[in-house]
Amino acid sequence: MKSLVSLFLLCLAGHLSWAQSKPTKKAAPAPVVTATSPKSDSIKVEYVRTEPNAELWLQPGDRLNVRVKAAAGLKVNLWNKLPLQELPAAQNKGVAGLYVGTYILQPTDTMTRRPVPVLLEDSAGTKTTAYTATTVTVLNPAQPIYGLTQGKMPYMNYGLGEDRLGGAKIGFLDSLVRVQINGKVGKDYRLKLSNNLNAYIPEQQVRLEGPTTFTGESLTGSWSATGEDAKGKYDVVRVAVGQRLPYTSYMDVNPTRIVVDVYGAVSNTNWMTLHRTLREVKNVQYQQIASDVYRILIDLKHPQPWGYSVGYQGTSLVIRVKRQPEKLNLKHLTIAVDAGHGGTNVGTKGKTGIPEKEITLKIAQQLKKELGKKKATVIMTRETDVTVDNLERVRILREAQPDLLVSVHVNSAGRPEVQGTSTYYRHVAFRPLSQALYEEVLKLGLKEFGNIGGFNFALNAPTEFPNALVETAFSSNPEDEQRLINPQFQQNMAKQIRKGVQRFLKETRKRKE
């Protein structure tokens, strides 16, 4: 098989330049260009696109997907003579002239920020060359690209899926974490976490380093697990990693534990010191679950986790495990209340035109009073009609370190007949809080919409404290909306949410016993 360079030069005679260097930071998008002879009116190209239709950095072994919309009945090939197949019009709502194809990039392919050329030919033998408006770069695996995370709370996504919540997030990272980049789609870098796992991160959250051949692997060292002090809120586990490598984490139940995976780390751990000051950490252990994935396991004493944080101190990974409060009643706890939306972020509206931001604030203010009656300390993410970004709310809450969080919202649907109440959680270990809230709010006579898990909302993302979101009712449903704008209902809703928190605490006490 001829190399991509040879075939390309053979077909296009210099229309593109090829290189092996790392992609530059800036490049102007290339428009679709056609080179047609006077008799080629039968070849009409509407577009040539890569899928995804964005700037791409790819590696050998990756798929390059191309879609073309042109006149029907043409012969369409990529620059390397790979044919694109015309889809039957019946499969595309009667639309003819749609051509698709996939090319697996080869080790011999080298291209830097160039549009993809497509060759089209009609039945008379007239030929046209068209190009994608976006560019493709083929990375050289022998010259890996590294970068350091930066900005406020950099986060990783599982994939490129999008929805109104921003796509499914794996979790947040500390700053100055060294990541390896093995691709890019639009404004998202693709990260190589391990040989078998990739993730995506917004490009503005990574500062690229200079050229390097460093593999990124690091040997772990000794551990220590200790309590801050007898009256402190945390147990602290420290693991010497050698450099700031990327990680993911989650809480497990039955048994209750915290699991942290460190990517690019190889075990050289020969001892782990556990101090008598520990109050929540029951045991620690590790596993080398893959040649480049080091797993930290922290077993907890109580069946209900109260949260944890992960970050670096120098090159040591530090996991701060929150202890279960000694007294599980409101007067000894700090409760955070989040009134959804606010300011320029009005949220949803029903037929009355009253915005969600007003309703959530009124319920949150009533909830503050309800909790205050039980002598709880209350933290509000907003107390007036102001704009507060969700990531800023998370930052405020992480600094305040409440014992738990309840976020108040109003739901909406495209169909007015949809109604009811629901609660949401992201982490399965925090589901008991959302369940307790759900059971109490249903006592208001609202219809059931569900207790919903894996919810990818910013205020459900923190692992530092149990949290849940309450979608009180649907403003898009006339019956529910009349409830929502009623001050008595707002007060009753706040009362039931407070009872839900108390129910969670009572059930946690029972589980403890």
Side-chain angles (χ1 to χ4, degrees):
M1 175 179 176
K2 294 184 178 180
S3 72
L4 180 61
V5 176
S6 299
L7 288 169
F8 170 76
L9 293 174
L10 192 63
C11 296
L12 297 181
H15 275 287
L16 301 177
S17 63
W18 301 74
Q20 293 182 341
S21 61
K22 190 182 78 173
T24 57
K25 192 70 176 178
K26 297 181 179 179
V32 172
V33 178
T34 56
T36 345
S37 69
K39 296 182 180 180
S40 62
D41 291 342
S42 61
I43 304 179
K44 295 180 180 180
V45 181
E46 185 174 325
Y47 62 75
V48 181
R49 298 175 183 166
T50 59
E51 293 188 342
N53 185 29
E55 180 189 9
L56 301 177
W57 295 2
L58 302 173
Q59 286 196 327
D62 286 340
R63 295 176 181 271
L64 175 61
N65 299 310
V66 179
R67 177 181 293 257
V68 177
K69 179 66 176 70
L74 300 178
K75 182 180 179 181
V76 182
N77 297 313
L78 292 182
W79 73 93
N80 56 5
K81 300 294 183 69
L82 179 76
L84 303 186
Q85 301 299 318
E86 182 175 5
L87 299 178
Q91 294 182 12
N92 298 283
K93 300 180 180 179
V95 177
L98 189 61
Y99 304 83
V100 297
T102 297
Y103 172 61
I104 307 298
L105 290 166
Q106 302 300 307
T108 52
D109 295 341
T110 53
M111 175 165 57
T112 301
R113 298 180 82 93
R114 291 292 177 259
V116 176
V118 173
L119 313 176
L120 303 97
E121 182 178 352
D122 64 13
S123 58
T126 305
K127 298 179 180 179
T128 294
T129 302
Y131 302 83
T132 57
T134 56
T135 62
V136 173
T137 293
V138 181
L139 301 178
N140 184 351
Q143 296 178 338
I145 301 172
Y146 288 90
L148 297 175
T149 57
Q150 62 181 4
K152 295 181 179 180
M153 295 186 295
Y155 61 86
M156 297 184 294
N157 284 341
Y158 286 103
L160 296 168
E162 280 292 336
D163 58 22
R164 66 185 182 87
L165 298 176
K169 291 180 176 56
I170 298 177
F172 294 89
L173 288 174
D174 203 346
S175 60
L176 300 178
V177 171
R178 199 158 187 261
V179 293
Q180 182 176 349
I181 296 163
N182 67 356
K184 183 182 179 185
V185 178
K187 296 182 178 181
D188 292 288
Y189 288 130
R190 186 179 67 188
L191 305 184
K192 178 184 177 182
L193 295 181
S194 71
N195 291 328
N196 298 311
L197 181 63
N198 291 325
Y200 291 86
I201 188 171
E203 64 176 343
Q204 71 269 21
Q205 295 182 355
V206 176
R207 173 172 56 84
L208 295 183
E209 291 184 316
T212 179
T213 57
F214 185 66
T215 62
E217 290 186 353
S218 179
L219 295 176
T220 67
S222 61
W223 291 33
S224 70
T226 184
E228 286 185 328
D229 55 62
K231 296 182 179 180
K233 288 187 175 182
Y234 301 92
D235 287 346
V236 182
V237 178
R238 289 181 174 85
V239 182
V241 176
Q243 61 175 312
R244 294 164 83 104
L245 298 174
Y247 53 82
T248 58
S249 68
Y250 63 92
M251 286 170 283
D252 211 346
V253 293
N254 299 322
T256 309
R257 60 174 38 165
I258 297 167
V259 181
V260 183
D261 288 338
V262 186
Y263 300 96
V266 177
S267 176
N268 193 38
T269 300
N270 292 310
W271 63 81
M272 298 178 288
T273 305
L274 280 68
H275 293 268
R276 294 179 62 194
T277 52
L278 292 170
R279 296 290 182 270
E280 186 58 40
V281 173
K282 182 179 180 180
N283 195 19
V284 295
Q285 55 184 312
Y286 70 88
Q287 298 172 354
Q288 190 76 47
I289 62 171
S291 61
D292 53 357
V293 183
Y294 181 81
R295 173 163 290 177
I296 298 167
L297 298 164
I298 304 173
D299 295 313
L300 306 181
K301 292 182 179 179
H302 295 100
Q304 176 59 59
W306 283 83
Y308 68 96
S309 64
V310 184
Y312 280 99
Q313 290 181 359
T315 58
S316 290
L317 191 65
V318 178
I319 302 103
R320 291 168 56 83
V321 181
K322 194 168 186 178
R323 296 169 175 173
Q324 179 168 287
E326 290 185 9
K327 297 180 180 180
L328 294 173
N329 51 61
L330 286 176
K331 69 178 180 180
H332 295 288
L333 300 178
T334 299
I335 311 300
V337 177
D338 172 59
H341 305 275
T344 57
N345 187 354
V346 299
T348 184
K349 288 182 181 180
K351 287 187 176 181
T352 66
I354 298 175
E356 178 180 1
K357 67 174 184 176
E358 290 185 15
I359 298 171
T360 59
L361 183 57
K362 289 178 180 178
I363 295 174
Q365 289 169 335
Q366 289 291 338
L367 179 55
K368 179 182 179 181
K369 292 179 182 179
E370 285 288 329
L371 294 167
K373 291 176 184 177
K374 301 298 179 180
K375 303 189 182 306
T377 301
V378 181
I379 297 171
M380 302 281 285
T381 58
R382 70 178 181 97
E383 297 194 70
T384 58
D385 185 20
V386 294
T387 303
V388 186
D389 178 79
N390 282 335
L391 288 182
E392 177 63 14
R393 298 182 197 220
V394 172
R395 187 194 65 78
I396 292 170
L397 291 167
R398 282 180 163 177
E399 289 184 359
Q401 285 300 312
D403 292 298
L404 58 86
L405 162 71
V406 178
S407 185
V408 180
H409 282 255
V410 171
N411 219 334
S412 182
R415 295 180 292 122
E417 65 271 21
V418 177
Q419 64 179 133
T421 192
S422 51
T423 59
Y424 298 73
Y425 65 93
R426 167 72 185 275
H427 308 289
V428 67
F430 297 157
R431 186 186 179 202
L433 173 60
S434 69
Q435 287 178 304
L437 292 167
Y438 189 51
E439 293 298 328
E440 291 300 321
V441 171
L442 282 173
K443 292 178 180 179
L444 292 171
L446 294 160
K447 290 188 177 180
E448 292 192 40
F449 192 71
N451 175 231
I452 299 164
F455 191 55
N456 181 41
F457 179 60
L459 274 295
N460 290 111
T463 60
E464 287 87 346
F465 40 81
N467 57 75
L469 181 144
V470 179
E471 290 280 8
T472 51
F474 281 82
S475 64
S476 53
N477 176 266
E479 184 181 352
D480 273 5
E481 186 184 25
Q482 288 304 310
R483 290 189 177 102
L484 288 166
I485 63 177
N486 186 324
Q488 186 59 55
F489 177 84
Q490 294 167 2
Q491 184 176 348
N492 292 341
M493 173 60 72
K495 185 176 181 179
Q496 293 309 117
I497 292 175
R498 185 260 296 164
K499 287 184 177 181
V501 173
Q502 289 180 299
R503 179 174 180 153
F504 166 70
L505 297 175
K506 181 179 179 181
E507 291 174 348
T508 302
R509 286 195 297 269
K510 289 181 178 179
R511 294 173 68 192
K512 179 180 178 181
E513 295 167 359

